[in-house]
Amino acid sequence: MSDTAQGLESLGQITGAPPRVEQNVAVLHERKVDKLGRSYATGKRKNAIARVWVKPGKGKIMVNGKESDRYFARPVLRMMINQPFKITNREGEFDVFCTVTGSGLSGQAGAVRHGISKALSDYEPPLRPALKHAGFLTRDSRVVERKKYGKKKARRSFQFSKR
């Protein structure tokens, strides 16, 4: 009877339970770079999928074999692509090569931005908090709603006529 526990504190000593581990330990992200010195990531937005490679360079961005200025003609789309570099103060330091499929130009620009952000955080893990705070590492999960039967579009009904 002398082995009985007097309280919860002594219970851990009797059973030989492992010591407690802190639960709020920060997860360290490690650098992911291939043998050519590039970091790869996949970005998605709407139905667009962008495969992005980032490596140190002079700031050249190639999209499907074309310069980003020619592929994304609208200045808003080009600005969208450069946002991850602007936030992390890395403008002109990385070359980007990406292939994009699906959706329209706006969705593709969002996918490229998502891919660049993920690849940058893999190449330089200390940049992750800034990109995460800006919301560039979160995939925008909104997609087009499907068309239902008996409807003209997803929710739009046919025009009603009394006669």
Side-chain angles (χ1 to χ4, degrees):
M1 289 294 238
S2 63
D3 289 343
T4 59
Q6 299 297 324
L8 292 177
E9 298 82 25
S10 59
L11 184 62
Q13 295 169 353
I14 293 173
T15 59
R20 288 186 156 212
V21 180
E22 286 294 322
Q23 298 207 359
N24 293 334
V25 176
V27 177
L28 297 175
H29 296 278
E30 51 188 60
R31 190 168 187 241
K32 296 176 189 165
V33 180
D34 65 2
K35 60 186 173 189
L36 299 175
R38 304 174 303 182
S39 184
Y40 170 78
T42 304
K44 294 182 179 182
R45 168 83 164 85
K46 294 187 177 179
N47 281 336
I49 300 171
R51 301 182 316 156
V52 180
W53 289 268
V54 171
K55 66 177 183 175
K58 297 180 181 176
K60 195 166 113 177
I61 300 176
M62 297 289 288
V63 181
N64 289 349
K66 296 181 182 178
E67 290 282 333
S68 65
D69 297 343
R70 292 188 60 216
Y71 193 85
F72 295 113
R74 287 188 276 166
V76 174
L77 300 178
R78 289 196 301 268
M79 177 207 66
M80 206 168 151
I81 291 173
N82 289 317
Q83 280 178 333
F85 297 117
K86 190 171 223 112
I87 284 185
T88 56
N89 295 324
R90 298 288 189 272
E91 292 176 289
E93 293 183 25
F94 290 96
D95 285 345
V96 177
F97 177 77
C98 61
T99 57
V100 194
T101 58
S103 195
L105 286 177
S106 177
Q108 288 184 352
V112 170
R113 179 178 75 175
H114 185 226
I116 289 173
S117 301
K118 285 172 66 176
L120 268 179
S121 70
D122 285 347
Y123 191 85
E124 240 180 290
L127 300 178
R128 185 175 171 82
L131 293 168
K132 184 82 172 162
H133 181 70
F136 295 154
L137 295 178
T138 306
R139 194 245 199 256
D140 189 355
S141 61
R142 296 176 294 170
V143 291
V144 178
E145 190 175 352
R146 77 172 191 89
K147 183 194 175 300
K148 280 78 169 186
Y149 61 89
K151 298 279 188 178
K152 194 167 187 172
K153 293 167 58 176
R155 297 185 181 206
R156 170 102 164 85
S157 298
F158 293 103
Q159 183 173 352
F160 175 75
S161 175
K162 199 170 206 178
R163 290 181 202 123

